[in-house]
Amino acid sequence: MSPLGRSNPTVKVVLLLVVSLSTLFLLDVGVLLTLYLLGVVVALTAARVGVRALAVAQVPFALFGVGLVLVNALTRPGDPWVEGAAVRVTHEGLVVGVALALRGMVIGVLTVAFLATTPPRDLMVSLAEHARLSPRYAYALLAGHRMLEAMPRRWATVRAAQAVRAPLGRDGRPRLGVRDFGRATFTLLVGSVRASERIALAMESRGLAAGPRTVWRPVPLGARDAVVALVVLGTLAAVVAVGAVV
């Protein structure tokens, strides 16, 4: 287990929310870039996320950030970056766009580290035990997460069944078109709705909404979590303070 994986999930959720909300009040590119680089270090070392896995996980956030940079650089008023250029790019828009992009990158890399070190079961148990979240909602979220995990397998099963019944082309492969894709999507949707109804009925029959419940294998909350919280909050405060001075 990674060092960050030994921390309490509720503490990690709170820290992720605090850092994410803090970035909403920051527009300093240097501060945001420092936070992003620190997040990368945390993901690679404390969370033990592989370099390739982290790079792939950052692609959607990077593409979203590029869009933010382009929109703000081309639409925000201000001094032009290059006088007489065919496309008017403002200095203010470029700075704001880069800052907004870095916000998303910071939240993205921390989210990847959180997901890589937090088992869903431990998260739900910790939220119910330490954050006083109702077991009805905690176990409903856990059931929904497991349904999402099972969806790729169900999708593969539906497509395999279509391939068995589909006519073969000249190359010997099943011919599946757009209509078959739509039918498979509808089948997966209907199957997921029916499965959710069965899960909800099973949860109600087991009394998940009938008052307090005991917990098997509780998730500990101790001094390690206090140290992690102090380190994260102290680092965040130090980076913001140095950025304000510089």
Side-chain angles (χ1 to χ4, degrees):
M1 183 178 293
S2 63
L4 193 59
R6 301 187 184 97
S7 301
N8 188 278
T10 300
V11 174
K12 290 187 287 187
V13 167
V14 173
L15 292 176
L16 179 60
L17 290 176
V18 169
V19 176
S20 300
L21 292 175
S22 300
T23 60
L24 299 180
F25 302 95
L26 298 175
L27 277 177
D28 191 322
V29 174
V31 173
L32 291 170
L33 181 59
T34 303
L35 292 177
Y36 175 70
L37 295 177
L38 289 175
V40 171
V41 173
V42 169
L44 295 176
T45 58
R48 293 181 182 172
V49 181
V51 176
R52 179 182 176 84
L54 182 61
V56 172
Q58 290 295 286
V59 170
F61 299 100
L63 294 177
F64 180 69
V66 170
L68 289 174
V69 173
L70 292 177
V71 169
N72 284 275
L74 297 176
T75 59
R76 280 186 177 270
D79 299 328
W81 184 262
V82 178
E83 293 288 349
V87 179
R88 188 174 185 273
V89 177
T90 63
H91 176 76
E92 290 80 0
L94 190 61
V95 172
V96 172
V98 172
L100 294 178
L102 286 173
R103 283 182 187 177
M105 297 291 289
V106 171
I107 296 173
V109 72
L110 294 179
T111 302
V112 171
F114 171 76
L115 294 176
T117 59
T118 308
R121 182 262 171 195
D122 291 349
L123 175 60
M124 294 302 107
V125 170
S126 178
L127 289 176
E129 184 180 3
H130 303 295
R132 298 296 184 267
L133 181 66
S134 171
R136 182 172 189 173
Y137 300 110
Y139 287 98
L141 290 173
L142 180 59
H145 181 272
R146 290 182 175 175
M147 283 188 62
L148 289 176
E149 284 185 331
M151 273 191 174
R153 296 193 299 271
R154 294 181 179 178
W155 174 260
T157 301
V158 173
R159 295 296 282 176
Q162 286 184 329
V164 170
R165 298 191 300 266
L168 300 179
R170 294 183 178 179
D171 56 356
R173 296 181 179 180
R175 290 186 300 176
L176 297 174
V178 177
R179 182 175 298 179
D180 297 303
F181 183 86
R183 290 174 179 173
T185 304
F186 181 75
T187 301
L188 181 65
L189 176 62
V190 172
S192 300
V193 171
R194 291 179 177 176
S196 63
E197 291 176 351
R198 293 193 297 269
I199 293 174
L201 181 61
M203 293 173 65
E204 289 291 338
S205 64
R206 285 167 173 77
L208 287 178
R213 299 178 60 87
T214 57
V215 177
W216 180 57
R217 288 192 303 167
V219 179
L221 176 65
R224 179 194 300 272
D225 304 299
V227 173
V228 171
L230 289 176
V231 170
V232 172
L233 297 178
T235 303
L236 175 63
V239 172
V240 173
V242 172
V245 172
V246 175

